Amino acid sequence: MDFPLDISFRNMDPSPAVEARIREKAAKLERLYNRIVGCTVVVEAPHRHQHKGKLYNVHIDISVPGKDLVVDRAKPQDHAHEDVYLAVRDAFNAAGRRLEDHARRMRGDVKTHPSQKDDVAPPAEQ
């Protein structure tokens, strides 16, 4: 992996196993788009006072030249996210999709629509 990866944990103890899984998933992102400048991953456990099960939140910030791509699962609705590994998997899957979209735009594979200002003709003079 050629880019710096910053991993932090909030409201939970750091886990070497989760950190290894994150490093593995981040290395796969580089195969999708090799111009990644940096990546920050925050794994957050919910506060202990919640009545529902623990739904983990994974926030990924990927820096590419000229832009930051952010994946934030702020309020996970899926109870599968009670497992931190599934939350990490889903977040990195979303990051991969966002990175592929960005790569398509940079290659020019995505058509852009003309702006509304270009479509409106100036009023005719009388």
Side-chain angles (χ1 to χ4, degrees):
M1 192 166 30
D2 293 337
F3 58 88
L5 177 64
D6 181 30
I7 302 170
S8 59
F9 296 90
R10 289 189 190 151
N11 301 326
M12 62 185 284
D13 295 329
S15 168
V18 173
E19 189 171 331
R21 179 69 56 92
I22 291 171
R23 290 187 187 285
E24 175 185 312
K25 296 283 189 182
K28 288 183 181 180
L29 288 180
E30 190 173 31
R31 289 187 222 148
L32 295 174
Y33 191 68
N34 61 359
R35 297 186 61 200
I36 298 174
V37 177
C39 182
T40 303
V41 180
V42 178
V43 180
E44 184 175 13
H47 295 289
R48 304 258 186 237
H49 58 75
Q50 286 188 340
H51 298 287
K52 296 180 181 177
K54 286 182 166 183
L55 295 177
Y56 290 93
N57 178 22
V58 179
H59 178 89
I60 304 172
D61 186 8
I62 303 169
S63 298
V64 294
K67 191 168 187 168
D68 283 343
L69 305 174
V70 178
V71 175
D72 189 13
R73 301 289 185 194
K75 294 187 179 188
Q77 301 296 322
D78 190 2
H79 283 284
H81 288 185
E82 290 178 10
D83 182 1
V84 68
Y85 294 102
L86 294 180
V88 167
R89 179 200 68 192
D90 289 348
F92 272 96
N93 286 346
R97 288 189 300 270
R98 186 142 316 152
L99 208 52
E100 285 176 334
D101 290 343
H102 177 73
R104 268 190 230 107
R105 272 187 248 110
M106 291 296 106
R107 285 193 309 260
D109 292 347
V110 177
K111 292 182 181 178
T112 57
H113 297 285
S115 67
Q116 293 293 337
K117 292 179 184 175
D118 295 340
D119 292 343
V120 178
E125 293 184 25
Q126 296 179 355

